[in-house]
Amino acid sequence: MTGPSRLANPLTRIPGGRDGRRMLLVTFVDRVGSGLWGATAALYFTYATGLTTAEIGFLLAVSGAIGIAGPPLGGLLADRVPLRPLLVLVQAVRAVASLALLTTVDLRLLLVIQAIGSLGDRASSVLTKLYATRVAGPDRARYQAFNRTVANSGWAVGGLAAAAALTVGTVPVYQWLLVGDALSFLASALLTLRCAEPLSHSRVVTHTATAQETGTRPGPEPGSARASATTRAPNPWRDRRYLAYTASDAVLFLDDSVFKIGLPLWAVTATSAPHQLVPLLLVLNNVLVVLFQVPFARFGATPRAARDTLLPLAAAFLAGAAALAASAAGARWAATAALIVAATAFTVAEMLHAAVSWELSVALAPPTAQGAYLGVHGLAQAIQRSAGPLAVTAAIAAGPVGWIVFGAGLAAVCGAQRHLVTDRGDGALSVPSVTVSEH
């Protein structure tokens, strides 16, 4: 086990070796492009394609709903085909979809193209996570911390570049930002080609079973553990405990909606804090993640550590919600201070949950079906993106009491998830120490 002092130093060696470092570069390039497009998508559809606000909402909502299928589909394929070429293919599809948006202003065609891009975006996320899981091994929690730090940095760079470009605000500028997004996916695909194919336990089991069926090599003794492992891979859709874990994790991802919707709306409609504070709170969130996500990796270094971290995670959610409730009362300076405390507490919750979710989603997945299981877990974020805005706006509508109930609900889910994981037992949470090669 890696010691806490080593984990606390963000300058220590990145897990996964050369391939791990290259995949971090892939993440950075990918997120720079996403930052360019994410900051300008609504403006592009408004001014470059001439869609109405209602049409844009319909386009993004439907394509996002279709994209929910991306994680389970990508994870299922990753257990059956080599991961690296699959990831390259998905990046290429994203690039083509981005460029294809430039070719039409027809809503129906835009919907098809945007849906394909959304499928690729969501699949890419789980495939990148799976690659990191395979190359980083037991250090996967620390690798994920580096990955989130790099991703946030990439988003910031892309967002700043988009903000600078938008000072011009012409249609060609929106189009070139979309081209930049496509080029980032192409660059990511080329960088991924330089990475090695990671070792996969699930594919070697499948290969062994196929060989036994064709008689090309002797099989194990009937009834042995190896024989049972080669007959049928576990199915995450029949694993009620993992599905319950995924559902609870979807709730804990609500911190994303708090920062994107809840905190900005609450600050400008229910508090006396200056409106200029809102973007600064989002900057604070980004800076804290970049500075502290790697040290926070210690909280997800092992399954036991991740499980124990669910209690301080509940406390962080409660503190953030209480601070939001308090921000509605008092003078301008008091509201400002309370919002800063709330943003800090929810950022701490975000970093703790990132470490916990990364570790438990992998540790609870059987090694022989890791891709399929992580694909199902990828639905947690997709579901949150759809239902999260409704939950957050409901809290806002209920006033300060709504935030107290919101925080208490998140804390209760933390406790329920801890109980769910504890019931599974330490043995089931252990990660195999031996990685099986495909070769």
Side-chain angles (χ1 to χ4, degrees):
M1 176 178 172
T2 307
S5 60
R6 183 183 175 198
L7 287 170
N9 182 2
L11 300 179
T12 52
R13 182 176 61 84
I14 296 173
R18 181 177 59 185
D19 291 322
R21 292 190 294 272
R22 285 176 174 170
M23 192 53 63
L24 288 180
L25 180 58
V26 170
T27 295
F28 179 79
V29 173
D30 184 320
R31 293 302 185 271
V32 168
S34 297
L36 290 174
W37 175 240
T40 58
L43 295 174
Y44 174 84
F45 288 126
T46 298
Y47 296 108
T49 65
L51 298 182
T52 66
T53 301
E55 288 173 332
I56 293 173
F58 173 78
L59 171 66
L60 297 179
V62 174
S63 62
I66 295 173
I68 291 176
L73 179 60
L76 188 66
L77 288 174
D79 282 335
R80 289 162 171 74
V81 301
L83 179 56
R84 185 188 65 165
L86 179 60
L87 187 51
V88 170
L89 176 62
V90 168
Q91 295 284 21
V93 168
R94 297 170 75 193
V96 172
S98 293
L99 290 175
L101 290 174
L102 295 168
T103 65
T104 182
V105 295
D106 183 85
L107 178 59
R108 292 167 296 181
L109 291 176
L110 288 172
L111 177 59
V112 173
I113 296 168
Q114 186 70 10
I116 293 173
S118 182
L119 281 169
D121 287 342
R122 304 287 176 84
S124 173
S125 178
V126 73
L127 294 177
T128 302
K129 178 178 180 178
L130 183 58
Y131 189 97
T133 298
R134 291 178 179 177
V135 299
D139 278 340
R140 59 179 175 266
R142 194 160 67 93
Y143 183 90
Q144 167 67 351
F146 278 104
N147 190 70
R148 293 196 79 243
T149 300
V150 168
N152 274 269
S153 301
W155 266 102
V157 170
L160 289 173
L166 289 177
T167 58
V168 179
T170 61
V171 171
V173 168
Y174 301 138
Q175 293 171 334
W176 277 110
L177 289 173
L178 183 53
V179 170
D181 183 38
L183 290 177
S184 75
F185 298 145
L186 288 176
S188 297
L190 293 174
L191 289 169
T192 303
L193 284 173
R194 299 186 60 194
C195 299
E197 175 69 23
L199 303 178
S200 168
H201 187 86
S202 59
R203 289 190 61 229
V204 74
V205 168
T206 302
H207 292 168
T208 302
T210 302
Q212 291 167 5
E213 291 171 2
T214 57
T216 56
R217 57 188 294 181
E221 291 295 325
S224 69
R226 185 180 169 207
S228 61
T230 59
T231 55
R232 179 180 297 177
N235 185 343
W237 297 105
R238 296 179 179 176
D239 189 334
R240 288 179 292 179
R241 196 182 301 267
Y242 196 84
L243 292 176
Y245 165 74
T246 298
S248 66
D249 231 26
V251 177
L252 299 186
F253 275 118
L254 280 172
D255 61 85
D256 180 65
S257 290
V258 169
F259 275 105
K260 289 181 178 178
I261 299 170
L263 195 152
L265 282 179
W266 180 258
V268 300
T269 62
T271 79
S272 58
H275 293 184
Q276 295 88 341
L277 179 65
V278 172
L280 296 179
L281 294 176
L282 300 181
V283 170
L284 174 64
N285 167 259
N286 192 272
V287 169
L288 290 176
V289 171
V290 170
L291 291 178
F292 295 109
Q293 186 65 74
V294 172
F296 271 48
R298 72 181 70 182
F299 296 106
T302 65
R304 180 181 291 275
R307 186 178 64 239
D308 292 342
T309 299
L310 286 166
L311 292 180
L313 175 59
F317 278 132
L318 281 172
L324 282 177
S327 67
R332 186 183 181 99
W333 68 267
T336 299
L339 288 173
I340 292 173
V341 171
T344 302
F346 273 110
T347 301
V348 170
E350 175 188 343
M351 293 187 290
L352 289 175
H353 181 235
V356 170
S357 179
W358 174 267
E359 177 61 23
L360 293 184
S361 63
V362 175
L364 291 171
T368 55
Q370 213 168 54
Y373 271 71
L374 292 184
V376 168
H377 181 261
L379 291 174
Q381 285 181 298
I383 293 170
Q384 187 281 141
R385 287 170 184 159
S386 298
L390 296 176
V392 168
T393 52
I396 293 175
V401 174
W403 283 119
I404 298 298
V405 173
F406 183 85
L410 289 175
V413 173
C414 288
Q417 190 176 100
R418 187 172 186 271
H419 177 72
L420 178 70
V421 173
T422 300
D423 282 349
R424 194 163 181 118
D426 289 341
L429 279 171
S430 300
V431 179
S433 58
V434 178
T435 303
V436 184
S437 171
E438 296 179 1
H439 304 294

